[in-house]
Amino acid sequence: MSRINKNVVLALLTLTSSAFLLFQLYYYKHYLSAKNAAGLSKSKGSRIGFDSIQWRAVKKFIMLTSSQNVPVFLIDPLILELINKNFEQVKNTSYGSTSECKFFCVPRDFTTFALQYHLRKNEEGWFRIAENMGFQCIKIESKDPRLDGIDSLSGTEIPLHYICRLATHAIHLVVFHDRSGNYLWHGHLRLKEHIDRKFVPFRKLRFGRYPGAFDRPELQQVTVDGLEVLIPKDPMHFVEEMPHSRFIECRYKEARAFFQQYLDDNTVEAMAFRKSAKELLQLAAKTLNKLGVPFWLSSGTCLGWYRQCNIIPYSKDVDLGIFIQDYKSDIILAFQDAGLPLKHKFGKVEDSLELSFQGKDDVKLDIFFFYEETDHMWNGGTQAKTGKKFKYLFPKFTLCWTEFVDMKVHVPCETLEYIEANYDWYFRSLLGRS
């Protein structure tokens, strides 16, 4: 009986152990394994992102530039917008702690970086290493537009864009050049005959359709998708500059031709006026920028930029244009606080407003306000002696950046049409047009 009881107990223990083991196997299969699978699936999904061609291309490019000590910075608008939306998360992410690819893994053809020209180093070595890493690279260069018309320097070219392709993804490196006025300029991406038009989908590039000008950004280093990159400290300010960054050069070649026909006035009086006018323009720009009021060169000041790339010495004033919707009620007080007393005020905000401020050395600042209609723009004029009003019509125009007396300022993009509307037949004769 005792032997039977022991066998029964042993059988029961074996059965119980087997049942428990089966339960563990069932639990692991239906609960733990499912839970782990979900976690592994999520982890695997994030690794798929890190294995994308976009991320690998960016990683290799950053390795390349870091090895050559070339400080590129990210200017890709899509990625900067994503970073801005998740800025706190990006700022608090340390190197190597990222578990999910959120920015560089977005499917796309290009990722765009920038490089300041004076920081460019060892281009030949850079290209050689890039090719060893699997990149195919091309360089787009052109003549410095400021040297236009100088035959002795006609062969001098500067790099404007680099494009490096890895498999199906390309890195677009925009070369920024320092310009007078403490801003950055990039050139037009114009393909030369020897460049394969099918190398990349060039039409999808966000930079290079036209020359551009940007405020010099302050940079900061952050970790993005596990990669250390430099980005503008205020990423959205840079992104918001893009739609309004178009730049047009002064017509240096035509200006040189103008001075070959009409000698430049380099008298003491002319040079003194130009100096005073430049200082007045700088003060006006500082005042309006502080108010957040956009402006452009108008009338004789615009003519001087267009015709001779300088201030007309006999004009005796500085002329600016402002859209009436940008008018602010404290604009007069702001100029008076800057040391420019109001000399004249013509018209009203709702009709034909014009302001005139007195600068030093008898140089005057005239501000013309422009009103927009359905198919044209206009500004008003008032004859000081009689009070008689005039209405000057202009074709619609947009604003572009340019460089004038070492400043980055706006001019109408459709400059010739604007000036001809301003001066009519008189200006046609000045330009030599019939």
Side-chain angles (χ1 to χ4, degrees):
M1 188 70 180
S2 175
R3 182 181 295 277
I4 294 174
N5 288 340
K6 288 181 179 180
N7 290 336
V8 171
V9 171
L10 184 60
L12 288 173
L13 289 173
T14 302
L15 182 63
T16 303
S17 298
S18 299
F20 182 71
L21 180 61
L22 289 171
F23 173 77
Q24 284 182 313
L25 291 173
Y26 176 85
Y27 180 79
Y28 177 80
K29 180 179 180 181
H30 291 277
Y31 292 93
L32 290 180
S33 62
K35 183 177 180 180
N36 289 338
L40 289 172
S41 175
K42 183 177 180 181
S43 175
K44 184 179 180 181
S46 66
R47 296 316 305 176
I48 290 174
F50 282 105
D51 289 337
S52 70
I53 184 60
Q54 299 96 279
W55 185 82
R56 287 193 290 114
V58 172
K59 180 182 179 182
K60 281 194 172 186
F61 179 74
I62 291 175
M63 290 172 58
L64 166 65
T65 54
S66 297
S67 69
Q68 298 297 295
N69 195 27
V70 178
V72 301
F73 58 98
L74 183 71
I75 59 170
D76 194 289
L78 175 60
I79 299 177
L80 288 180
E81 287 179 3
L82 291 174
I83 289 174
N84 188 69
K85 291 178 181 177
N86 301 273
F87 205 45
E88 290 302 318
Q89 176 187 343
V90 171
K91 285 197 301 184
N92 295 325
T93 299
S94 58
Y95 181 75
S97 65
T98 304
S99 61
E100 186 176 359
C101 188
K102 294 182 178 180
F103 305 96
F104 290 126
C105 297
V106 179
R108 54 227 301 267
D109 296 300
F110 297 93
T111 302
T112 312
F113 288 83
L115 168 67
Q116 293 189 51
Y117 174 69
H118 71 280
L119 299 176
R120 184 182 64 117
K121 301 176 182 178
N122 189 18
E123 182 182 280
E124 291 184 5
W126 188 86
F127 267 115
R128 186 170 58 254
I129 296 173
E131 291 174 357
N132 291 337
M133 296 176 73
F135 284 105
Q136 293 177 284
C137 296
I138 60 173
K139 176 174 70 170
I140 289 88
E141 57 185 355
S142 184
K143 183 178 178 180
D144 188 328
R146 291 168 293 184
L147 304 180
D148 195 16
I150 302 179
D151 295 334
S152 61
L153 298 175
S154 59
T156 304
E157 292 197 332
I158 56 175
L160 301 178
H161 300 264
Y162 297 95
I163 297 177
C164 292
R165 184 182 68 189
L166 183 69
T168 59
H169 193 72
I171 303 297
H172 181 196
L173 181 59
V174 182
V175 182
F176 278 120
H177 294 258
D178 294 278
R179 297 286 293 256
S180 299
N182 195 33
Y183 69 97
L184 300 178
W185 169 90
H186 72 77
H188 184 200
L189 197 160
R190 183 178 286 111
L191 299 180
K192 297 187 177 181
E193 292 182 1
H194 68 277
I195 294 179
D196 180 8
R197 264 60 175 174
K198 297 181 180 179
F199 182 71
V200 292
F202 289 101
R203 291 185 178 182
K204 294 184 180 181
L205 291 172
R206 297 295 301 274
F207 291 83
R209 296 176 186 173
Y210 43 74
F214 290 82
D215 294 338
R216 186 186 302 276
E218 184 179 354
L219 303 177
Q220 65 175 332
Q221 183 170 288
V222 295
T223 299
V224 181
D225 291 340
L227 304 174
E228 291 186 347
V229 295
L230 287 171
I231 66 169
K233 196 167 186 178
D234 186 350
M236 282 313 296
H237 175 72
F238 187 90
V239 171
E240 289 166 357
E241 282 187 279
M242 282 189 59
H244 315 288
S245 63
R246 186 174 180 181
F247 183 95
I248 55 178
E249 291 285 354
C250 175
R251 306 184 317 146
Y252 296 105
K253 185 176 181 179
E254 289 78 4
R256 292 184 179 103
F258 178 84
F259 286 123
Q260 286 178 354
Q261 184 175 1
Y262 306 98
L263 293 179
D264 194 6
D265 188 349
N266 290 318
T267 61
V268 174
E269 294 78 9
M271 294 177 68
F273 169 75
R274 281 179 170 148
K275 180 177 181 295
S276 297
K278 178 180 177 180
E279 292 173 353
L280 179 58
L281 178 58
Q282 290 173 332
L283 181 58
K286 182 179 179 180
T287 304
L288 292 171
N289 290 338
K290 189 175 181 180
L291 289 172
V293 175
F295 68 94
W296 65 90
L297 305 182
S298 189
S299 302
T301 307
C302 188
L303 170 59
W305 167 80
Y306 183 82
R307 191 180 62 183
Q308 57 214 66
C309 298
N310 208 336
I311 295 169
I312 299 174
Y314 54 80
S315 59
K316 303 306 179 186
D317 56 18
V318 172
D319 302 308
L320 303 180
I322 295 176
F323 293 120
I324 193 61
Q325 61 264 31
D326 294 320
Y327 170 82
K328 292 187 176 180
S329 58
D330 54 349
I331 192 170
I332 295 177
L333 179 61
F335 274 106
Q336 289 176 335
D337 290 343
L340 300 175
L342 182 67
K343 184 174 183 178
H344 297 296
K345 178 182 179 182
F346 298 114
K348 299 174 290 186
V349 174
E350 56 271 19
D351 177 52
S352 306
L353 181 64
E354 179 186 340
L355 301 176
S356 182
F357 298 91
Q358 184 61 59
K360 68 176 185 178
D361 300 325
D362 204 31
V363 182
K364 188 161 55 79
L365 172 67
D366 291 330
I367 299 180
F368 304 96
F369 289 87
F370 281 67
Y371 299 76
E372 185 172 1
E373 303 291 347
T374 304
D375 59 351
H376 68 277
M377 295 180 180
W378 63 276
N379 76 291
T382 305
Q383 197 173 58
K385 293 182 179 180
T386 65
K388 186 177 180 181
K389 287 184 175 295
F390 300 89
K391 192 172 186 179
Y392 301 100
L393 305 184
F394 293 80
K396 286 200 169 184
F397 58 88
T398 54
L399 298 180
C400 287
W401 290 113
T402 193
E403 186 174 308
F404 183 62
V405 292
D406 300 324
M407 294 176 61
K408 184 184 81 158
V409 292
H410 275 130
V411 292
C413 301
E414 303 78 10
T415 318
L416 182 56
E417 293 83 354
Y418 180 88
I419 295 177
E420 287 187 340
N422 208 153
Y423 287 93
D424 197 28
W425 66 269
Y426 174 68
F427 178 68
R428 292 174 185 268
S429 65
L430 292 177
L431 277 181
R433 296 169 61 95
S434 56

